[in-house]
Amino acid sequence: MTRKTLTLILFATLAGPGAAQDSVDINGDGVLTLFEIQAVWPEVSTDGFMFLDRDGDGLLDPEEFEAARQGGHLAAPN
């Protein structure tokens, strides 16, 4: 695992909800792609991501990301 990935995991698990999304948002556009999610949670499949993407736009917005975290779908990595 790279140093950047470990840093992202640390911030995503220890920071507050908004900061957690910001730390995973590699390109800083305010939404998360499957690639960005899998950089921290590699176990998330395409189907799993589609389940989390409630509006079906191929991105997780802040509300979808927070719902996924609160729902236990993006648990703290080991």
Side-chain angles (χ1 to χ4, degrees):
M1 207 176 292
T2 68
R3 181 180 213 110
K4 181 176 181 177
T5 301
L6 290 173
T7 302
L8 290 173
I9 291 169
L10 177 65
F11 281 113
T13 57
L14 298 178
Q21 177 173 345
D22 291 345
S23 69
V24 178
D25 186 9
I26 295 168
N27 64 1
D29 65 356
V31 292
L32 302 173
T33 64
L34 175 60
F35 173 79
E36 290 170 320
I37 289 293
Q38 286 180 333
V40 178
W41 294 279
E43 70 279 0
V44 175
S45 67
T46 300
D47 288 339
F49 183 84
M50 290 170 53
F51 172 78
L52 301 175
D53 177 20
R54 296 177 183 215
D55 64 8
D57 66 354
L59 303 165
L60 294 188
D61 61 36
E63 292 79 23
E64 291 167 328
F65 177 74
E66 186 57 25
R69 290 193 34 101
Q70 288 185 9
H73 301 290
L74 299 176
N78 294 331

